Amino acid sequence: KYEPWATHDDVYQTVTRKVGRKIDILYDINGNVLGFYIFRIFRYGPWNVMFRGNSFISTRIRGIGVSLLNSAIKNYNPDRLVTFTSQERVYAFLSHFGEILPALNKKPSVTEWHLLSRLAGSIHEVNKDTLAVRDFYPHKHEQQGDAVKNEYVSNLFATLGDKDAYAVMVRCS
């Protein structure tokens, strides 16, 4: 229900059991879901990596996303947080948790780029300079929420095509 364009196969792929997959769900006192994060935790070289998948945050109550992610970061203590997104709001949100890439005058290390490439899968190529991934999504992704009031972030995401994403990495602090 949270992604009306999602097919049964998309939903199944999102919630099926995979090694290291975690689902954090926040309920209100009446048992209604206020938000969730789906992510995987695994080791890659020297790092504990949190690979952020799908999420849903209720618009009824502000600050839920921050609470959920803060809880997960405190619990799993990742060195790197990774996601693929076309949403500038996700990028702006994640920038509060450490040093974020892509960013002006910052490049991933070779090991970080290999991690991003591996997570992108064999059919997608992560651009070494921009961290853009062309045709990442099988269908057009719509912008969710209001535009971010940061010119750099808005300009960065304006370069993406309808099916493109950025490989976003946070070097957690």
Side-chain angles (χ1 to χ4, degrees), residues 19-22 38-53 69 72-73 75-84 111-119 168-172:
V19 174
R21 179 167 281 167
K22 309 290 182 192
I38 299 173
F39 51 88
R40 287 175 47 208
I41 301 293
F42 59 92
R43 296 289 301 172
Y44 187 83
W47 305 314
N48 191 28
V49 177
M50 179 185 284
F51 181 38
R52 180 184 173 274
L69 197 54
I73 287 173
N75 190 40
Y76 298 108
N77 197 26
D79 300 299
R80 299 292 186 272
L81 192 153
V82 176
T83 194
F84 292 85
T111 306
E112 289 171 329
W113 184 77
H114 283 286
L115 169 63
L116 294 173
S117 295
R118 186 173 186 133
L119 290 172
V168 175
M169 174 178 286
V170 179
R171 296 170 179 153
C172 297

Side-chain angles (χ1 to χ4, degrees), residues 74-168:
K74 183 178 178 182
N75 190 40
Y76 298 108
N77 197 26
D79 300 299
R80 299 292 186 272
L81 192 153
V82 176
T83 194
F84 292 85
T85 188
S86 63
Q87 301 296 322
E88 60 185 69
R89 295 188 68 73
V90 170
Y91 177 94
F93 171 67
L94 292 177
S95 70
H96 297 286
F97 295 94
E99 181 182 15
I100 195 164
L101 300 171
L104 216 51
N105 302 320
K106 293 181 185 171
K107 299 285 183 200
S109 69
V110 172
T111 306
E112 289 171 329
W113 184 77
H114 283 286
L115 169 63
L116 294 173
S117 295
R118 186 173 186 133
L119 290 172
S122 60
I123 62 170
H124 300 290
E125 182 179 334
V126 178
N127 182 298
K128 283 184 180 181
D129 296 319
T130 65
L131 300 185
V133 184
R134 300 293 173 211
D135 294 320
F136 186 74
Y137 300 108
H139 43 74
K140 179 181 176 180
H141 260 233
E142 301 291 331
Q143 186 67 24
Q144 297 173 1
D146 296 331
V148 171
K149 295 176 183 166
N150 179 305
E151 188 175 342
Y152 170 75
V153 174
S154 294
N155 290 339
L156 180 68
F157 280 82
T159 65
L160 291 180
D162 290 341
K163 297 180 181 182
D164 300 342
Y166 277 111
V168 175

